[in-house]
Amino acid sequence: MIQAFLKKGCFQDSVSLMLISRQLSNGDNVEEVSVMMGTPANKSLLESTGLWHPLFDEATPNDICVAIHPNAESGDVSDEIAAQLDSALASIAQASAGGQRLDVVRRWQTALAKQPEANLALISVAGDYAADLADEALDNDLNVMMFSDNVPLESEVALKRKAAAKGLLVMGPDCGTAMVAGAPLAFANVLPKGPISIVGASGTGIQELASQVCLAGQGITHALGLGGRDLSADVGGASALSALAMMDNDQETEVVAFVSKPPAPEVEQAVIQAMKAMSKPVVALFLGTRREKARDGNVFFANSLAEAGRLAAMLANVRQYVPGCNKTAGKKILGLYTGGTLAAEAAMLTAEQLGLAVDDAHDQGVMLNDGGHLIIDLGDDHYTVGRPHPMIDPTTRTLEIEKRAVDEQVGVLLLDVVIGYGATADPAAALVEAVESAKSKRQSPLHVIATVTGTEADPQQRSQQIETLVEAGVAVVNTLEEAVLLSEALIEQQGTKAVEERPALLDGIRVVNVGLRSFADDLQSAATPVVHYQWAPIAGGNAKLASLLKQMQ
């Protein structure tokens, strides 16, 4: 026999009540205790799980329904559970009262009076009520993040159309993760600031991707969640397209990373077209799909979260280097490598990036000779007849640099520095001397990009070699892939993009939090202006009366 009681006029958020249910269910005298607000959906759930009691017919969405499944020998335990419930609610209230004072209000108008510059509403009430609250937020020119789930699809479509017409963004419903200008919204990590922004219809996907970016040494500017249905055919990627446009107009974002579960085919095409129209590189990860092409213009496709994080970090490294350079648009790439495999990979990557053909004959060590771009393996037999290998004696490469790098059509010089046992004592010093000699004979800039192969324990010590190169103005990058991307960026003919106003939301958020108080506490601890709207269903959840009251306002 189910025992039950109601606690009238005591609205609490669903997460707190779920935690209380679990706590009360641990008692010795009960099999299970369920504590829920008396919404229609919750009543259906109580009925379907065998915890229904006729007393719940009287409950409104503003009342707490408590269903008790006691042990067979326990007798009436409802008074005992009621006392435990009061104690648990008192603990929540006491915890809420502690710490830094949080502005708590009970009306929209008061919230906006307390936070007149509010630009975002974070909504985490039950799905039955979330859409109306989001609509009110849009009416007050607030962007919206809806943590709430179980919001009707037609409501989501209507909200996102309304937001687009007003130049606002709706994240969600069922959006669990976002970060705007360092402010955490719902589930979020403490992340270093950096040039990469993430747009995603996958909460944990955003968190894992951001973590991978940070592990690769870069940081995050913003992370905008979309909600799991945004890329469906019904919603059409409405928020995805808005978020991508916002990122393109954000001057602090250098690289955009996008992650989602597989979209509807027509939506995927629209999203990719939007990415290709952007002025920044984009890393796109559609989880569960594999791409035949690794790249389409400025869009780089990844097949895993780890790959997406690595790509985004690498592109950010490149973007951070380029602004300080005097670009050599239209010039050519010259690669002079001592390592044959390094030359082959540099040639292959350059050919892929620029749409060229590698030289399969490898005559005289030439790995690429197309479109004026040239990459040579100086360890080829042609260069070692009667001479030591250039890793042992750098003279061969010194001569080639002085001969070829003086050509004014060369804009980027790619090099390797291979250290370790058997290699020359100080390859970086020899390379710098040759580069400086070539530069002294040129009228136009020459960018020099190098990779270093070896470890800190090698006789030449990796860090000392890098220091020598950097002091001479050589860009030392982590991988050949990064070297080729950087060389491409330095010689590319860049189009111009009209400077547009940065979306105000990205300057920083001021939040009205509706629902879970813990989200407001997190925002406050992160020094984000926030007011907590302690919402409860209007007119005790009576829909007809609530509608009448709304019309009267």
Side-chain angles (χ1 to χ4, degrees):
M1 174 69 75
I2 298 300
Q3 299 173 14
F5 64 90
L6 298 179
K7 193 166 184 64
K8 301 289 286 183
C10 184
F11 185 83
Q12 299 289 327
D13 67 73
S14 58
V15 173
S16 296
L17 294 185
M18 280 190 278
L19 294 174
I20 290 174
S21 295
R22 190 172 63 183
Q23 177 185 339
L24 299 186
S25 294
N26 290 332
D28 294 334
N29 295 326
V30 298
E31 294 287 342
E32 183 180 5
V33 178
S34 179
V35 185
M36 293 183 174
M37 299 309 302
T39 63
N42 287 342
K43 289 181 180 180
S44 295
L45 187 60
L46 288 165
E47 191 166 15
S48 65
T49 55
L51 292 171
W52 178 256
H53 190 282
L55 187 61
F56 297 153
D57 279 330
E58 305 171 16
T60 74
N62 213 22
D63 303 330
I64 296 178
C65 298
V66 182
I68 307 164
H69 184 189
N71 289 332
E73 66 280 6
S74 296
D76 186 354
V77 296
S78 56
D79 288 345
E80 176 187 339
I81 295 299
Q84 291 176 8
L85 175 62
D86 287 342
S87 176
L89 294 174
S91 295
I92 292 174
Q94 188 175 10
S96 299
Q100 188 179 355
R101 183 177 177 277
L102 175 69
D103 281 331
V104 179
V105 302
R106 294 182 180 276
R107 291 168 54 86
W108 263 119
Q109 292 77 4
T110 315
L112 296 173
K114 288 274 188 182
Q115 193 72 264
E117 296 183 346
N119 58 2
L120 187 140
L122 173 54
I123 298 171
S124 54
V125 302
D128 293 342
Y129 308 103
D132 281 346
L133 283 165
D135 194 53
E136 285 189 78
L138 293 174
D139 284 341
N140 286 290
D141 296 326
L142 270 63
N143 299 276
V144 174
M145 176 173 169
M146 298 176 75
F147 181 84
S148 310
D149 57 8
N150 293 308
V151 174
L153 176 62
E154 57 271 23
S155 297
E156 178 177 351
V157 172
L159 287 168
K160 290 186 172 178
R161 285 178 179 167
K162 185 172 185 175
K166 301 189 75 168
L168 299 170
L169 179 68
V170 171
M171 296 180 277
D174 197 15
C175 176
T177 301
M179 188 190 77
V180 179
L185 292 163
F187 302 134
N189 300 99
V190 179
L191 302 166
K193 184 173 174 56
I196 298 170
S197 286
I198 299 174
V199 175
S202 168
T204 50
I206 291 175
Q207 287 189 273
E208 176 63 15
L209 178 51
S211 298
Q212 291 294 330
V213 164
C214 297
L215 287 171
Q218 277 292 349
I220 304 298
T221 312
H222 312 286
L224 302 181
L226 306 172
R229 289 190 309 221
D230 189 73
L231 297 172
S232 66
D234 292 312
V235 184
S239 291
L241 298 175
S242 295
L244 288 172
M246 291 176 73
M247 293 298 101
D248 202 28
N249 291 322
D250 178 39
Q251 289 78 12
E252 293 189 9
T253 297
E254 296 284 349
V255 176
V256 177
F258 186 95
V259 57
S260 81
K261 301 177 185 69
E266 63 272 30
V267 178
E268 179 180 308
Q269 288 307 309
V271 169
I272 291 175
Q273 287 305 313
M275 292 173 176
K276 290 172 67 176
M278 293 174 68
S279 60
K280 302 170 182 179
V282 182
V283 177
L285 171 59
F286 300 105
L287 291 163
T289 62
R290 286 199 169 269
R291 300 279 155 181
E292 293 183 3
K293 288 200 303 183
R295 178 179 176 182
D296 187 357
N298 64 318
V299 182
F300 296 75
F301 295 104
N303 291 314
S304 70
L305 290 162
E307 184 184 7
R310 182 188 65 80
L311 273 173
M314 183 171 61
L315 290 165
N317 291 341
V318 170
R319 295 278 293 196
Q320 286 180 315
Y321 184 86
V322 171
C325 297
N326 186 0
K327 292 184 68 172
T328 53
K331 299 282 187 177
K332 307 303 178 185
I333 297 171
L334 170 65
L336 297 174
Y337 282 86
T338 62
T341 301
L342 302 180
E345 179 165 311
M348 178 193 71
L349 293 169
T350 303
E352 285 180 355
Q353 305 289 5
L354 302 182
L356 307 174
V358 293
D359 190 329
D360 294 328
H362 298 172
D363 184 38
Q364 298 186 11
V366 173
M367 313 301 279
L368 173 75
N369 186 7
D370 193 4
H373 307 287
L374 179 66
I375 293 180
I376 302 175
D377 167 23
L378 297 176
D380 183 84
D381 290 350
H382 175 75
Y383 299 94
T384 57
V385 177
R387 300 176 187 171
H389 192 282
M391 284 169 54
I392 299 172
D393 179 356
T395 302
T396 299
R397 182 157 68 178
T398 297
L399 294 173
E400 290 295 326
I401 290 174
E402 292 177 344
K403 182 176 81 174
R404 297 179 184 276
V406 295
D407 182 351
E408 299 286 348
Q409 287 305 306
V410 174
V412 177
L413 176 60
L414 291 175
L415 301 166
D416 60 345
V417 174
V418 183
I419 60 175
Y421 292 123
T424 188
D426 191 357
L431 188 151
V432 165
E433 185 178 348
V435 166
E436 289 181 343
S437 173
K439 282 184 173 180
S440 69
K441 297 170 185 172
R442 290 173 55 101
Q443 300 297 316
S444 60
L446 174 67
H447 296 294
V448 184
I449 305 169
T451 55
V452 176
T453 300
T455 72
E456 193 64 11
D458 284 325
Q460 301 88 346
Q461 200 173 355
R462 180 183 175 90
S463 62
Q464 286 191 1
Q465 293 292 297
I466 292 175
E467 184 179 348
T468 298
L469 294 167
V470 171
E471 284 181 352
V474 176
V476 181
V477 297
N478 298 314
T479 63
L480 285 169
E481 195 176 4
E482 192 171 321
V484 171
L485 282 171
L486 178 54
S487 63
E488 178 195 355
L490 290 168
I491 65 167
E492 70 181 351
Q493 303 278 6
Q494 194 167 22
T496 56
K497 178 183 183 299
V499 177
E500 297 185 23
E501 189 175 351
R502 186 183 190 213
L505 178 70
L506 303 184
D507 286 332
I509 57 171
R510 293 159 292 281
V511 180
V512 176
N513 180 67
V514 192
L516 290 172
R517 174 168 173 146
S518 60
F519 289 166
D521 293 333
D522 288 341
L523 284 164
Q524 191 170 54
S525 68
T528 301
V530 57
V531 58
H532 178 59
Y533 174 10
Q534 190 165 316
W535 176 88
I538 299 171
N542 184 312
K544 185 175 180 180
L545 184 55
S547 177
L548 289 172
L549 288 172
K550 188 175 181 180
Q551 292 176 33
M552 293 170 63
Q553 291 177 348

